[in-house]
C-alpha cells in the first residue's frame, strides 16, 4: 500500500547539518498496524511527513498504491494525499471555530476522494462521539478530542492512516480506547502507521519499526 525506498532528509541551519533520515526503507501492507518507535529526535515526524507527501525527501522514493508520491508537484501530492491518506497528530487537526461535525464536513469538502465519503453521523457514531457532534473542540475532553481528530482523519475513507504520537497526551484508559479504534480500522483493510513512545502502542501493533538517528535499526 505504502512503500518507502531509501529515504534521505537533511536539514541545514548555518554550519550545522542534521541528517534526519539516512536511507530509511519500509513497507506498509493493507490491514497492518505498525508502530514506529525511537527516541525523540530519531526522525519519526520527519519520516511521517515524507510518507504523507507533506515534506519531500532529499533522496529516495515514496510510493502510494503503486503510484509515486515523492518528487511530484505540490498539487499532485495534495491530491494523492487527499484521496488515500488520513493524518492524525497529537495537536489535534481541528478548527476551533467549527463543531466536530463541521470539522468533518470541511475535511470532506476540501478533499474529494475517489469514494463516496461516509455519512458524518455514521462516522462519528462508529467512533463513539455521535453525541458530541455539535460540540466545539474547546468543549471536548482529551479522549473526545482524539476521537474527533480521528473522525477528521477518516473523513474520506483513507487507505493509509499516519498517526504521529496520537496518544501522547491521553491517560492509559483513553489511550487503550484509541488503540482499539485504530486496530478496528485494520480489520477493514486500512494500513495504519503510528509513531509513538508508548509501550502500549508497540504492544498493540502487528509489527514494530525502530528508528535510531534517522535509520531503521530493527
Ligand atoms: P522525532 O519525531 O523522532 O522526535 P524529528 O523527525 O522531529 O524526530 O527530528 C529528527 C531530527 O531532525 C532532529 O534532530 C530535529 O532537530 C531535526 N529536524 C526536524 N525538522 C527540522 C527542520 N524543519 N529544520 C531543522 N531540523 C529539523
Ligand atoms: Mg516527532
Amino acid at each position: 500500500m505504502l512503500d518507502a525506498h531509501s529515504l534521505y532528509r537533511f536539514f541545514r541551519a548555518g554550519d550545522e547539518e542534521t541528517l534526519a533520515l539516512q536511507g530509511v526503507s519500509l513497507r506498509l501492507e493493507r490491514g497492518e498496524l505498525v508502530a514506529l518507535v525511537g527516541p525523540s529526535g530519531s526522525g519519526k515526524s520527519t519520516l511521517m511527513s515524507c510518507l504523507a507527501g507533506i515534506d519531500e525527501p532529499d533522496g529516495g522514493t515514496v510510493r502510494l498504491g503503486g503510484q509515486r508520491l515523492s518528487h511530484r508537484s505540490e498539487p499532485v501530492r495534495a491530491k494523492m494525499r487527499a484521496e488515500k491518506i488520513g493524518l492524525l497528530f497529537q495537536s489535534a487537526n481541528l478548527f476551533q471555530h467549527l463543531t466536530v461535525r463541521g470539522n468533518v464536513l470541511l475535511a470532506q469538502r476540501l478533499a474529494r476522494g475517489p469514494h463516496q465519503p461516509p455519512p458524518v453521523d455514521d462516522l462519528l457514531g462508529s467512533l463513539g462521539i455521535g453525541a458530541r457532534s455539535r460540540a466545539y473542540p474547546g468543549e471536548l475532553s482529551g479522549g473526545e478530542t482524539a476521537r474527533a481528530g480521528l473522525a477528521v482523519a477518516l473523513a474520506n475513507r483513507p487507505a493509509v492512516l499516519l498517526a504521529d504520537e496520537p496518544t501522547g497526551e491521553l491517560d492509559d484508559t483513553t489511550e487503550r480506547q484509541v488503540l482499539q479504534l485504530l486496530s478496528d480500522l485494520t480489520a477493514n483493510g486500512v494500513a495504519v502507521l503510528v509513531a509513538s513512545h508508548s509501550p502500549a502502542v508497540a504492544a498493540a501493533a502487528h509489527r514494530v519499526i525502530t528508528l535510531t538517528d534517522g535509520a531503521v535499526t530493527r
Side-chain angles (χ1 to χ4, degrees):
M1 198 60 243
L2 183 68
D3 196 1
H5 181 69
S6 197
L7 298 183
Y8 285 81
R9 186 74 176 100
F10 314 105
F11 293 108
R12 198 186 306 272
D15 284 343
E16 216 172 304
E17 187 172 80
T18 306
L19 297 144
L21 297 178
Q22 312 196 46
V24 173
S25 297
L26 63 85
R27 222 183 143 92
L28 209 56
E29 308 287 354
R30 271 173 57 86
E32 261 195 319
L33 175 61
V34 177
L36 178 66
V37 306
S40 180
S42 57
K44 302 183 296 298
S45 295
T46 303
L47 177 58
M48 286 292 199
S49 296
C50 289
L51 295 177
I54 293 170
D55 191 14
E56 278 277 59
D58 294 306
T61 316
V62 177
R63 283 177 189 281
L64 183 57
Q67 276 185 298
R68 184 164 48 81
L69 172 68
S70 51
H71 310 289
R72 308 288 286 264
S73 70
E74 167 56 30
V76 171
R77 281 185 276 137
K79 181 162 189 295
M80 289 177 70
R81 185 160 65 238
E83 292 182 359
K84 300 232 169 75
I85 300 180
L87 294 173
L88 184 61
F89 296 118
Q90 182 176 357
S91 53
N93 43 344
L94 300 170
F95 290 106
Q96 297 295 317
H97 65 289
L98 294 175
T99 61
V100 169
R101 153 184 201 76
N103 270 282
V104 175
L105 285 170
L106 178 65
Q108 291 183 335
R109 191 114 49 83
L110 289 179
R112 200 151 299 152
H115 325 288
Q116 185 72 14
V120 178
D121 294 325
D122 293 359
L123 179 58
L124 294 176
S126 72
L127 298 174
I129 51 161
R132 302 296 276 143
S133 117
R134 309 271 169 192
Y136 287 89
E139 301 166 344
L140 303 176
S141 69
E144 288 169 346
T145 302
R147 288 163 195 267
L150 191 52
V152 169
L154 299 177
N156 297 296
R157 292 191 207 281
V160 176
L161 180 74
L162 301 176
D164 195 355
E165 315 248 9
T167 63
E169 287 170 357
L170 303 178
D171 61 73
D172 292 354
T173 308
T174 313
E175 175 176 56
R176 232 175 296 124
Q177 292 168 349
V178 170
L179 283 172
Q180 184 60 51
L181 291 170
L182 294 180
S183 87
D184 292 348
L185 290 174
T186 65
N188 296 320
V190 179
V192 183
L193 181 65
V194 188
S196 179
H197 287 298
S198 167
V201 172
H206 303 142
R207 187 153 70 84
V208 177
I209 296 173
T210 306
L211 271 190
T212 310
D213 291 337
V216 175
T217 46
R218 248 191 304 147

